[in-house]
Amino acid sequence: MADGDSSATRRTLVRGALLAAATASIGASLTRRSAAAPPADTDGTRTGTGTGTGTSTVAAGGAATAGVVAVATPERLRADVRRMVDCGPRLPGWPGHDEWCTWLTDELAAAGLRIEPCEEYTYDSYQPADFALEILDGPGAGPVEVATSYVRSAGTSAQGVTGPLVLAKGFPMPGPLEALLDPGAVTAAIRAWVAAVPAGSLHGAVLLVDLPTPGRLTANVFTAISAYLQWDGHDEADWARIDYTRLWLGLWPDLNDFAVLGLAGVVFTTAASRPALRGNYSPHTTRPQPLPALVVDREVGARLRERAAARPRTRLTLISPVRRTRLRQITAVLPGESDECVIVNTHTDGQNAFEENGGVAAVALARHFAALPPGQRLRRTLVFALYPGHMSGRVGIENSRAWILRHPDLVRRAVGAVSIEHLGATEWIDDPVRGYHATGENELYAIWTTQGPTLDTIAKPALVASGLQRHALLKPPLQITPGAPFHKLAGVPHVSGIAGPSYLVVVSPDGELEKFDADLAAAQVGFYADVVGRFDTADRAALRTGDPTLGQDTPTAEERTYRDEATTARCAPATASGARGAAADTDSEGPLGLPGPWGYAAGTVAGAAALAAGGFAVLRTRRHRRTTPPDDASPSPISPGPDDPSAPDSPSGSTSDSA
């Protein structure tokens, strides 16, 4: 049996088991809200067996149990994720992001929720269009294949910048754990290297910098802070063998530290293969960078290192217009009998079918809980908080902090918060021997959980009841989810889940949709519905005991000085056609034969300049029927067509020939 067939068969078996476990996760807590059943006994080993009974009436997929509205079927989740991917990349300020926010608002309103006024944030959106790297002289002269551009790095003119290609000898190469656990020390080492460069010696150069990225890690980075591990028949030694080598974890240097060198540009080499690196949008949290920078894979990097010995003249081009846009922050409310509330939250921006599909889960939960019959409704109010800028590189909106500061009344009334990200992810590994491939397993899923009763009576019994495998409950305060400020800043008991697959921040024409497992996603949505139901009946005061890190904020310097500057705007559903997931108009094609939302057309001054310079940029034009956007919505970013063998993907891709 071929590897692909074996992986597909194993995944099919896992899907069946997950759906059976999720559908069996039925009890009394939603059937009669006033008589909640006690939590299942889940004390015992750190590695779960997945045999608990749970207390929720939630059926995650398939037909609803008698008297219970199903949370989400795999088919509905797949359709909604497909609708999201059809918007194109939803990076902050890109037109696809605005379109997706409109869909979310429409669907939440159609489910019967009250849409609160939005907060709008002015934002300068980097929209990379085209890039190229070319060796201009010497025996290896010619174009160089580039995998991606560096996020929010400065653009060039259509003519690019030219300078000698110079290897950054002795550049710091920290180990992966050091880069992850002590980034301050790594930054200090880089600054020391910069300070040691002789004055003027690199002025005007295109600097070639070797990065040990991605560093080789295992799931030990999570088990070290785990409270409970669930993977039937496996122990911690098995978890330690899970490959967790991930590009999005870095190391990714801050080019502001390079500015004093007077460089023309930077080229980063990585340890990643071309298929794994292509379209990667890293570092997704970086602030605006003062230099143009491109990123190449390990094979191209090795050839560039050889050529850099002769310091050949090199041209680097990065067309990256920056457009002033506005981002919407959405709040929707399902009133309950009590003013106390449970806050479900995620972000709306992202690159593909996974980053970020938390909005799809939010809509599924809203539909479910709003449709429950009397007697099964939540007692507490359910709030949905959708913040706009995890990929923005901007303090406040890059996580839930700004929403928390804007909604102090809701936060004061909160019993718990549930943060949802990256559902339905399958595991892909970039192996030096086998290459970039699927393993047949679901991606490891990490769930940070406030310790004490939130862990013992909510997260752990819900996870056991779900039967989900390779899922871990982790201990705060160290966590990487954008919902973390609920635990730290707001002091609200928190359950916050995230998967971090290798393709997490990849921008690609198909949105990585072939890697999406709808059955797994349905079971995960069922788990979150169970968590919401348990928060609904939990003792509010008791939940705030047992975790000394709750409410202990350790803000960065940026966060300490942050002042919210949002304006308030009407955030109502735009049109009836947008509600209920109206089909997009996809009957027309762009000049490269790509249907609907991936159609393209030449246009704008920047696009014309790139074409005149022999670039590959064409403008992406949207064919969806749009609901009403905010005023001054950003134009479509320039992006070349992926079917053109000489064209990079949007916002990243490759030039025509190898190095």
Side-chain angles (χ1 to χ4, degrees):
M1 181 179 292
D3 285 348
D5 294 337
S6 176
S7 296
T9 300
R10 189 185 328 169
R11 191 175 302 152
T12 299
L13 293 173
V14 171
R15 285 174 181 167
L18 280 176
L19 287 177
T23 305
S25 175
I26 298 170
S29 66
L30 290 180
T31 304
R32 296 294 177 198
R33 306 306 309 168
S34 60
D41 181 6
T42 57
D43 293 337
T45 62
R46 284 163 53 84
T47 302
T49 62
T51 58
T53 58
T55 63
S56 174
T57 61
V58 172
T65 305
V68 178
V69 179
V71 178
T73 65
E75 294 75 20
R76 185 62 183 269
L77 287 175
R78 177 173 287 279
D80 286 349
V81 170
R82 172 79 265 179
R83 178 65 182 87
M84 178 181 71
V85 170
D86 283 348
C87 294
R90 299 157 314 283
L91 293 163
W94 288 37
H97 184 212
D98 171 54
E99 182 176 339
W100 179 236
C101 287
T102 297
W103 186 91
L104 289 168
T105 304
D106 287 349
E107 292 297 316
L108 291 169
L113 277 68
R114 183 178 75 241
I115 308 300
E116 299 293 314
C118 282
E119 290 85 41
E120 286 191 351
Y121 294 88
T122 300
Y123 177 69
D124 291 332
S125 176
Y126 284 68
Q127 299 182 0
D130 182 28
F131 50 77
L133 187 66
E134 185 178 6
I135 305 294
L136 299 177
D137 55 30
V144 176
E145 183 158 6
V146 176
T148 188
S149 60
Y150 207 66
V151 174
R152 281 180 285 278
S153 56
T156 71
S157 69
Q159 289 71 42
V161 295
T162 302
L165 183 68
V166 180
L167 180 64
K169 294 181 179 179
F171 191 80
M173 299 279 280
L177 279 178
E178 181 185 1
L180 186 63
L181 299 178
D182 196 359
V186 176
T187 297
I190 292 173
R191 290 174 178 172
W193 181 88
V194 169
V197 173
S201 63
L202 293 178
H203 185 80
V206 175
L207 190 65
L208 183 65
V209 180
D210 283 332
L211 297 181
T213 306
R216 290 286 165 183
L217 292 168
T218 74
N220 270 343
V221 297
F222 295 120
T223 59
I225 56 172
S226 65
Y228 176 72
L229 303 173
Q230 185 156 293
W231 190 13
D232 291 356
H234 295 270
D235 57 21
E236 287 195 32
D238 295 319
W239 286 80
R241 284 189 281 271
I242 296 175
D243 187 333
Y244 208 77
T245 303
R246 300 291 186 268
L247 276 163
W248 58 268
L249 284 173
L251 166 82
W252 299 108
D254 185 347
L255 291 174
N256 286 284
D257 293 329
F258 293 62
V260 298
L261 298 176
L263 301 170
V266 175
V267 177
F268 289 112
T269 77
T270 69
S273 70
R274 190 172 306 161
L277 184 62
R278 183 177 172 84
N280 182 68
Y281 189 82
S282 290
H284 67 274
T285 60
T286 196
R287 278 35 181 168
Q289 303 288 286
L291 295 167
L294 304 177
V295 187
V296 300
D297 63 75
R298 58 190 176 223
E299 290 84 6
V300 172
R303 293 192 287 273
L304 285 177
R305 281 193 295 275
E306 293 178 2
R307 295 177 184 181
R311 297 196 170 202
R313 283 192 314 120
T314 302
R315 179 187 295 122
L316 185 157
T317 305
L318 173 58
I319 308 300
S320 185
V322 180
R323 297 190 170 100
R324 180 63 55 88
T325 63
R326 290 207 306 273
L327 309 181
R328 283 185 277 174
Q329 185 162 262
I330 302 166
T331 305
V333 178
L334 179 63
E337 299 172 12
S338 167
D339 285 341
E340 291 182 337
C341 63
V342 178
I343 303 173
V344 174
N345 63 98
T346 189
H347 60 96
T348 56
D349 58 322
Q351 291 85 347
N352 53 44
F354 305 88
E355 185 74 84
E356 178 53 67
N357 61 25
V360 170
V363 167
L365 293 173
R367 291 168 178 157
H368 168 70
F369 286 113
L372 287 173
Q376 295 185 29
R377 293 289 184 94
L378 296 177
R379 182 175 62 84
R380 287 169 168 145
T381 293
L382 189 56
V383 175
F384 291 87
L386 308 179
Y387 30 93
H390 188 46
M391 303 293 153
S392 68
R394 184 162 138 186
V395 67
I397 61 172
E398 65 185 346
N399 56 28
S400 53
R401 182 172 292 266
W403 189 92
I404 288 168
L405 295 175
R406 291 287 300 194
H407 297 274
D409 183 54
L410 290 174
V411 172
R412 278 194 299 269
R413 290 153 42 195
V415 173
V418 181
S419 302
I420 306 174
E421 292 194 285
H422 314 161
L423 304 179
T426 55
E427 185 180 59
W428 281 63
I429 297 299
D430 188 16
D431 184 270
V433 177
R434 294 185 58 193
Y436 189 48
H437 68 281
T439 68
E441 300 280 2
N442 63 271
E443 176 69 16
L444 184 156
Y445 198 84
I447 308 165
W448 273 268
T449 304
T450 300
Q451 301 300 284
T454 303
L455 171 69
D456 297 334
T457 67
I458 295 177
K460 188 175 177 183
L463 183 58
V464 170
S466 74
L468 287 161
Q469 301 297 297
R470 288 165 57 104
H471 282 53
L473 299 176
L474 307 182
K475 304 173 186 176
L478 177 65
Q479 63 170 300
I480 56 175
T481 75
F486 280 100
H487 177 92
K488 298 191 299 183
L489 172 65
V492 175
H494 189 218
V495 175
S496 182
I498 185 172
S502 54
Y503 48 85
L504 179 61
V505 293
V506 165
V507 176
S508 62
D510 65 356
E512 306 298 290
L513 191 60
E514 79 282 358
K515 300 177 176 69
F516 179 68
D517 186 333
D519 296 299
L520 172 62
Q524 290 169 325
V525 173
F527 159 75
Y528 281 116
D530 194 355
V531 167
V532 169
R534 293 173 190 272
F535 266 129
D536 187 55
T537 59
D539 184 290
R540 187 174 189 266
L543 292 179
R544 282 166 163 72
T545 64
D547 192 332
T549 71
L550 186 63
Q552 300 301 305
D553 195 24
T554 54
T556 64
E558 277 186 309
E559 289 169 341
R560 283 194 297 271
T561 59
Y562 173 71
R563 297 294 180 271
D564 191 88
E565 298 179 352
T567 58
T568 301
R570 183 174 179 269
C571 199
T575 69
S577 66
R580 313 314 314 158
D585 293 332
T586 58
D587 53 348
S588 58
E589 291 186 346
L592 299 177
L594 294 174
W598 285 98
Y600 298 91
T604 81
V605 174
L611 288 167
F616 321 111
V618 288
L619 278 177
R620 180 169 178 269
T621 194
R622 186 158 308 286
R623 304 292 185 183
H624 284 310
R625 178 169 61 250
R626 293 184 59 82
T627 47
T628 305
D631 294 337
D632 303 323
S634 63
S636 297
I638 307 167
S639 63
D643 283 355
D644 182 346
S646 67
D649 293 338
S650 169
S652 49
S654 60
T655 57
S656 61
D657 199 3
S658 66

